[in-house]
Amino acid sequence: MESNTAFAPFYVGAADLAREPAQRDAADLIVDALAGLGVEYVFGVPGGAIEPLYNALARSARRGGPQAIVARNEQGAAYMADGYARETGKLGVCIATSGPGATNLITGVACAYDNNVPMLVITGQPPIKNFGKGALQESSCTGINTMAMFRPCTRYNSLVSHAEQLPTKLFNALMQAQRAPSGPSHLSIPVDILRAPVSSDMETPDFAGLLRRAPALVDLPAVRQLARLLFSARQPVWLIGDGCGDAANELMQLVQRTDGNFITTPDGKGFINPRHPRFRGVFGFGGHASAAELLQSEPDLVIALGTGFGEFNSGGWSTALLNSRLVHVDDSDENLMRSPMARLHVRGHIKSVCEQLVALLNSPQDAALLPFMHPQVARQAYEAMVDSPAALHSDSLPVKPQRLVATLGERCPPQTRFVADAGNSAAWAVHYLAPHDQRARMPGSAYLPAGKERRTRSSSWLRVTMDFAPMGWAIGSAVGIAMANRRCPVVCLTGDGSYLMNGQEITVAAELGLPVLYVVLNDGALGMVKHGQRLAGAEPIGFQLPKVDFALMAQSMGIPGIVVRSSADLDALDFDALVSRGGPTLLDVRIDGEEVPPMNLRMRTLGTAR
């Protein structure tokens, strides 16, 4: 199961050349455009109506271009494309055949839409001449209308009815997917259009040239106004959102130069060092009381960057955040529209805005580095921030989820990518996960890595999905992340309910030899449902799950599976070996299902908190 033949060096022989068509077809045009954009993989499930695109991908793979990765369900393919896009900063691409293939994609596409993940979605159709005749799996306006279904969850949505339309519509789709706010674009293409020959005189755009990122535009008068506010502010609070990845270096300098503190949204935590002495916790779902208390202390200025203020990352639209002390910085008008009460809106590329602020706030003598914090002191400071610090070290049975998450942070290599699934897994990870960061200590005795941390927009060590949060997202997303970055091991935290929905995608990781550690929090329940009912005093119904040995399930697929019943079992694991083997491993961790995750925010916004 650990074969990696899909990535073996390719040598073109005479038989291969004989299979190459003399003339390109429309499907080849699509794949060539993706190759020009640096896209390496296309995730999907084959079918008759999308077959020409798979033929083009087979030809592309022989030339060293984009390759097809076959998921087990189209929903999983969308999650893989999502993870690939988040890790690389490139376009994620998923494809499916017509009818149920297309409808299976929709949940993953909707998740990408709500989380601003750039994605190209291509679905097939029967031959256009058969529209309206009851063709098998027809999903045009005269069948099960998938075009209408995709419309609310895409930035661009179009049927290609003639081959001559394809260059323009493909360009528009790619442009809309990558401009702010980014998200999925959908093209539905009949099979006869996909196989239509592309004439040599057909005008085709220079996709790679035209789609290079536009110059980083910044509202300079607003930046200068923000700099004036910062000069007079006392210990401003910086709120770091998911859009701040490539600006993390500059943000740490700004925190230091303004004598400020910083907090993050749940999906922004992965861009910072949680043991930083200026970090005051996560605000929002799964967050820390220290972050809420900091905002409730009424700082004179709060600068929020790269966030859209949905339920999970605004603390349920907390007035402690959303008030006239707020300055909102973003490159998306859609995000800025969600903070009409803010004192100031700064529109622009976030890294460029931060660079301008660093220059404006510069002083002849640069700010001194913060004093060194011993790793043990930093660890103790973070543990003091969490709800149940004693549980981090508990050896009681069953395994405390807090202890599990703390152990993963301590024992996994510093470059590990963590992906936490919707529900309790995300809550535990957002609140308790604090991996060691080798960049935290600078030679000489300085702690703050001002300008020294090598963060990029795609280098988040923790990924969770906000707003539209489907169960099982992390299982496929982990595959996409691992495909995108072979240098970093991936740990996927998921619940038993999520795994029962989408766990079959682990076989893709096995087929491709991806070092993904799947950690199943097994408590025999839909945990967030169970605790939500208890906290609300609701009827206890529908949360029970059957007792499943997920380790045995993995072993039946040729994947190593280990049952962890105690903290001693957990401590005995060699995590370096688990995340460096040439394929996935599954840990079936029997956790204490009576431990309540930090989910009070969700209860308040549902109106069921007691």
Side-chain angles (χ1 to χ4, degrees):
M1 291 298 293
E2 295 182 24
S3 170
N4 198 17
T5 55
F7 303 96
F10 172 72
Y11 303 97
V12 180
D16 299 310
L17 291 172
R19 290 202 297 271
E20 300 297 327
Q23 186 175 30
R24 293 194 313 152
D25 59 26
D28 289 305
L29 188 153
I30 295 170
V31 175
D32 288 349
L34 297 178
L37 296 174
V39 173
E40 304 153 292
Y41 307 112
V42 173
F43 304 90
V45 177
I50 201 72
E51 182 180 288
L53 192 49
Y54 274 92
N55 291 338
L57 285 167
R59 294 190 287 269
S60 167
R62 289 197 291 272
R63 299 190 300 268
Q67 304 178 37
I69 303 299
V70 179
R72 304 304 174 245
N73 182 285
E74 290 87 355
Q75 184 180 123
Y79 296 154
M80 292 174 194
D82 178 314
Y84 175 84
R86 292 177 192 244
E87 182 63 26
T88 61
K90 300 176 185 177
L91 192 74
V93 183
C94 57
I95 61 178
T97 193
S98 59
T103 57
N104 282 347
L105 277 177
I106 288 177
T107 296
V109 173
C111 178
Y113 178 83
D114 241 12
N115 288 271
N116 301 129
V117 177
M119 186 181 289
L120 177 65
V121 183
I122 299 177
T123 60
Q125 291 279 4
I128 199 165
K129 66 181 181 180
N130 294 339
F131 281 17
K133 296 180 179 179
L136 177 67
Q137 298 181 343
E138 185 191 340
S139 43
S140 71
C141 61
T142 55
I144 302 299
N145 192 348
T146 55
M147 292 297 300
M149 295 181 194
F150 277 104
R151 187 172 298 119
C153 59
T154 52
R155 304 292 178 190
Y156 183 88
N157 180 47
S158 187
L159 173 74
V160 180
S161 59
H162 297 78
E164 292 76 13
Q165 296 175 349
L166 181 59
T168 299
K169 288 193 171 182
L170 178 59
F171 176 76
N172 289 340
L174 295 170
M175 177 69 81
Q176 292 290 343
Q178 297 178 91
R179 64 181 294 187
S182 55
S185 287
H186 172 232
L187 292 176
S188 189
I189 312 177
V191 64
D192 52 329
I193 304 300
L194 281 170
R195 66 166 67 102
V198 175
S199 63
S200 58
D201 60 352
M202 178 184 282
E203 293 275 346
T204 56
D206 174 13
F207 290 100
L210 291 171
L211 290 167
R212 287 193 189 99
R213 290 199 176 272
L217 302 178
V218 174
D219 182 353
L220 284 175
V223 174
R224 294 189 185 103
Q225 187 176 350
L226 173 55
R228 288 193 292 271
L229 292 173
L230 288 168
F231 272 121
S232 59
R234 293 181 302 103
Q235 287 200 315
V237 174
W238 299 82
L239 173 62
I240 298 174
D242 185 45
C244 294
D246 57 355
N249 297 339
E250 292 76 17
L251 276 167
M252 292 300 99
Q253 294 182 60
L254 290 169
V255 169
Q256 180 178 342
R257 294 183 186 192
T258 60
D259 192 28
N261 295 300
F262 71 94
I263 58 179
T264 74
T265 61
D267 51 354
K269 182 182 180 182
F271 293 118
I272 59 94
N273 175 10
R275 301 186 185 193
H276 192 290
R278 295 282 189 178
F279 180 53
R280 296 296 178 264
V282 174
F283 183 74
F285 177 73
H288 303 96
S290 54
E293 290 166 0
L294 181 62
L295 292 177
Q296 288 162 2
S297 70
E298 299 189 354
D300 50 359
L301 196 63
V302 177
I303 308 97
L305 307 97
T307 181
F309 296 125
E311 176 185 329
F312 276 9
N313 53 25
S314 68
W317 309 285
S318 169
T319 56
L321 170 64
L322 300 175
N323 56 53
S324 60
R325 294 185 295 274
L326 176 69
V327 173
H328 192 180
V329 181
D330 214 290
D331 60 357
S332 165
D333 286 335
E334 198 169 284
N335 282 352
L336 294 172
M337 288 166 59
R338 297 189 181 186
S339 59
M341 75 299 294
R343 176 186 305 189
L344 176 65
H345 291 92
V346 182
R347 191 185 191 284
H349 181 248
I350 294 171
K351 180 177 176 66
S352 299
V353 169
C354 292
E355 288 172 340
Q356 292 287 337
L357 286 173
V358 168
L360 290 168
L361 297 177
N362 201 5
S363 58
Q365 290 187 331
D366 203 2
L369 294 174
L370 288 178
F372 169 72
M373 271 185 87
H374 189 278
Q376 183 64 23
V377 176
R379 173 182 175 179
Q380 291 170 352
Y382 187 80
E383 290 184 2
M385 191 184 296
V386 304
D387 286 352
S388 303
L392 298 173
H393 308 284
S394 173
D395 291 328
S396 62
L397 292 173
V399 178
K400 298 288 186 186
Q402 301 94 324
R403 171 77 146 82
L404 168 65
V405 171
T407 300
L408 291 171
E410 293 281 346
R411 302 276 303 282
C412 290
Q415 71 271 26
T416 300
R417 302 292 199 247
F418 293 92
V419 194
D421 227 328
N424 286 2
S425 300
W428 292 124
V430 166
H431 195 88
Y432 289 98
L433 191 60
H436 280 301
D437 189 338
Q438 289 183 339
R439 292 165 295 194
R441 188 202 303 245
M442 298 291 295
S445 76
Y447 179 92
L448 181 70
K452 303 297 183 182
E453 286 198 355
R454 297 305 174 213
R455 301 288 192 191
T456 68
R457 190 178 185 88
S458 57
S459 65
S460 175
W461 57 261
L462 172 63
R463 289 188 173 86
V464 294
T465 182
M466 298 285 99
D467 300 335
F468 203 87
M471 292 172 64
W473 161 82
I475 299 168
S477 184
V479 172
I481 292 169
M483 290 292 297
N485 188 349
R486 290 299 186 110
R487 296 169 298 139
C488 297
V490 180
V491 174
C492 173
L493 280 165
T494 187
D496 46 353
S498 291
Y499 196 82
L500 287 170
M501 285 188 181
N502 292 88
Q504 72 279 356
E505 302 300 344
I506 194 175
T507 61
V508 181
E511 178 187 4
L512 301 175
L514 301 176
V516 182
L517 179 63
Y518 285 93
V519 182
V520 181
L521 281 64
N522 188 353
D523 61 357
L526 298 172
M528 186 155 281
V529 174
K530 178 180 76 174
H531 291 295
Q533 290 171 351
R534 289 181 178 178
L535 293 171
E539 294 286 347
I541 181 173
F543 63 81
Q544 302 94 340
L545 291 175
K547 293 183 178 179
V548 177
D549 190 323
F550 293 102
L552 279 178
M553 184 184 292
Q555 291 166 19
S556 73
M557 299 173 179
I559 298 165
I562 303 168
V563 176
V564 176
R565 293 186 172 85
S566 67
S567 297
D569 291 344
L570 188 63
D571 292 340
L573 294 172
D574 183 345
F575 283 95
D576 286 329
L578 292 176
V579 299
S580 62
R581 61 177 300 274
T585 304
L586 183 140
L587 300 183
D588 179 350
V589 185
R590 309 298 167 83
I591 65 165
D592 185 350
E594 297 305 305
E595 287 292 315
V596 182
M599 58 180 288
N600 286 334
L601 168 65
R602 182 64 177 147
M603 302 303 298
R604 289 199 308 272
T605 53
L606 285 173
T608 54
R610 301 178 68 190

